[in-house]
């Protein structure tokens, strides 16, 4: 009896000492075994290629109006604008959808399949559990954006050539200068998606229905967009996560480079990440299954 009691703490200590890296690798294997994850990433990576090929068959004057239309018009024969335009357009819905799906599967999905309870009753800290789930969601978001950035940049080079890197103010950029600006936008978009993922994790911690998480995040994005158009609630606009999603990425297309909107959006996203993960942690510490 005494031997058994002594062995239990030892076993528990062994579980507690399982490294974050090992748990993270296990989480990634679980994530990328889901066919829908690979399907979504493949779809997103193909979007810049589709846009680039489509733009080769139209004139700039044939694109529709509106901010997205202006970006598309600017992307015609301009390899610098193409990846930025693709990221900006998909940030309105498709990229947040990918982060929301990852966040929904991370907790609510595992709760629905009964695997989350094993995590919760195991001698693994709830903070460590949340960290692993957050890293997994962040990885999916990062890969999605980098895949779009890579295919968009390469497509722009293939279609328009290395001499097609122009800002919207008429300045000519070198390939490396253009790539640096594109990567700046990509990093900013990744941070926005981490914020979406943190919100998804917070909602996911309260339910066992992944689709409810996805629907809630997308509904929130749509509501935030509508509120952004209403001047009557202009006092609320600085608190909306997607307040400058359609304008901030385009700021790198200007010369000189103005990062004011990017900095404002990054700070807002960091606040959402902190709040979302705090809510998720508070829920996980009181959840038994």
């Amino acid at each position: 009896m005494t031997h058994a009691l002594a062995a239990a703490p030892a076993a528990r200590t062994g579980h507690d000492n399982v490294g974050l890296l090992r748990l993270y690798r296990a989480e990634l294997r679980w994530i990328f075994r889901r066919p829908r994850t690979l399907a979504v990433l493949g779809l997103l990576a193909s979007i810049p290629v589709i846009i680039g090929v489509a733009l080769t068959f139209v004139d700039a004057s044939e694109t529709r109006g509106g901010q997205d239309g202006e970006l598309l018009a600017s992307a015609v024969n301009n390899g610098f604008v193409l990846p930025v335009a693709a990221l900006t357009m998909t940030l309105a819905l498709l990229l947040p959808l990918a982060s929301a799906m990852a966040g929904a599967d991370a907790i609510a999905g595992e709760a629905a399949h009964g695997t989350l309870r094993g995590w919760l009753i195991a001698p693994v800290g709830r903070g460590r559990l949340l960290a692993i789930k957050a890293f997994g969601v962040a990885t999916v978001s990062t890969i999605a954006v980098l895949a779009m950035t890579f295919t968009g940049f390469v497509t722009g080079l293939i279609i328009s050539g290395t001499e097609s890197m122009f800002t919207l103010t008429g300045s000519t950029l070198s390939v490396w200068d253009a790539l640096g600006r594109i990567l700046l936008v990509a990093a900013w978009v990744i941070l926005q998606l981490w914020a979406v993922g943190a919100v998804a994790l917070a909602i996911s911690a309260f339910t066992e229905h992944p689709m409810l998480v996805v629907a809630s995040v997308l509904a929130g994005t749509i509501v935030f967009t509508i509120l952004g158009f209403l001047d009557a609630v202009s006092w609320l606009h600085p608190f909306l996560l997607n307040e400058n999603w359609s304008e901030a990425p385009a700021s790198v297309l200007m010369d000189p480079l103005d990062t004011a909107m990017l900095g404002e959006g990054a700070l807002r996203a960091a606040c959402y990440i902190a709040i979302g993960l705090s809510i998720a942690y508070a829920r996980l510490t009181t959840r038994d299954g």
Side-chain angles (χ1 to χ4, degrees):
M1 179 69 173
T2 304
H3 178 74
L5 291 175
R12 180 177 295 270
T13 301
H15 282 289
D16 282 335
N17 290 333
V18 175
L20 276 175
L21 184 59
R22 179 179 173 185
L23 294 174
Y24 176 60
R25 287 198 300 263
E27 180 70 10
L28 291 186
R29 284 195 297 269
W30 176 254
I31 290 173
F32 291 104
R33 283 176 181 172
R34 301 183 187 121
R36 61 179 172 273
T37 300
L38 300 178
V40 169
L41 292 177
L43 172 64
L44 290 172
S46 68
I47 288 176
V49 180
I50 296 172
I51 294 175
V53 172
L55 289 177
T56 61
F57 297 101
V58 300
D59 294 326
S61 59
E62 295 177 358
T63 57
R64 294 186 177 183
Q67 193 152 23
D68 288 344
E70 292 176 0
L71 270 179
L72 287 178
S74 303
V76 176
N77 298 321
N78 191 333
F80 173 45
V81 178
L82 177 59
V84 177
L87 288 173
T88 302
M89 294 175 62
T90 51
L91 185 57
L93 184 63
L94 292 181
L95 283 173
L97 174 62
S99 292
M101 289 176 56
D105 287 331
I107 299 179
E110 291 207 19
H113 290 92
T115 54
L116 180 65
R117 184 169 181 80
W119 280 94
L120 295 176
I121 64 177
V124 177
R126 302 298 173 90
R128 177 175 294 191
L129 169 61
L130 179 60
I132 293 303
K133 298 301 181 182
F135 287 153
V137 174
T139 300
V140 173
S141 302
T142 301
I143 292 177
V145 174
L146 292 182
M148 289 191 64
T149 302
F150 174 77
T151 57
F153 186 69
V154 172
T155 300
L157 289 179
I158 293 175
I159 293 177
S160 304
T162 58
E163 304 299 326
S164 63
M165 303 296 174
F166 305 104
T167 66
L168 297 185
T169 52
S171 303
T172 302
L173 299 175
S174 68
V175 172
W176 295 112
D177 287 340
L179 180 59
R181 294 195 183 201
I182 293 169
L183 290 177
L184 176 62
V185 172
W188 185 85
V189 172
I190 288 171
L191 187 60
Q192 304 305 306
L193 296 187
W194 286 357
V196 174
V199 173
L201 283 173
I203 300 173
S204 187
F206 286 89
T207 182
E208 297 182 358
H209 304 286
M211 289 305 299
L212 177 61
V213 179
V214 175
S216 298
V217 172
L218 294 185
T221 302
I222 294 172
V223 170
F224 277 20
T225 301
I226 294 174
L227 291 175
F229 289 126
L230 301 178
D231 292 334
V233 290
S234 58
W235 58 270
L236 188 60
H237 293 174
F239 303 99
L240 303 178
L241 177 59
N242 60 350
E243 165 63 11
N244 56 3
W245 278 5
S246 59
E247 297 91 2
S251 63
V252 303
L253 302 176
M254 304 296 181
D255 198 19
L257 178 63
D258 184 5
T259 60
M261 280 195 295
L262 292 175
E264 177 186 341
L267 178 60
R268 186 183 299 113
C271 292
Y272 270 82
I273 291 172
I275 294 172
L277 293 182
S278 297
I279 294 174
Y281 178 74
R283 172 56 180 159
L284 284 178
T285 55
T286 59
R287 183 168 182 166
D288 296 325

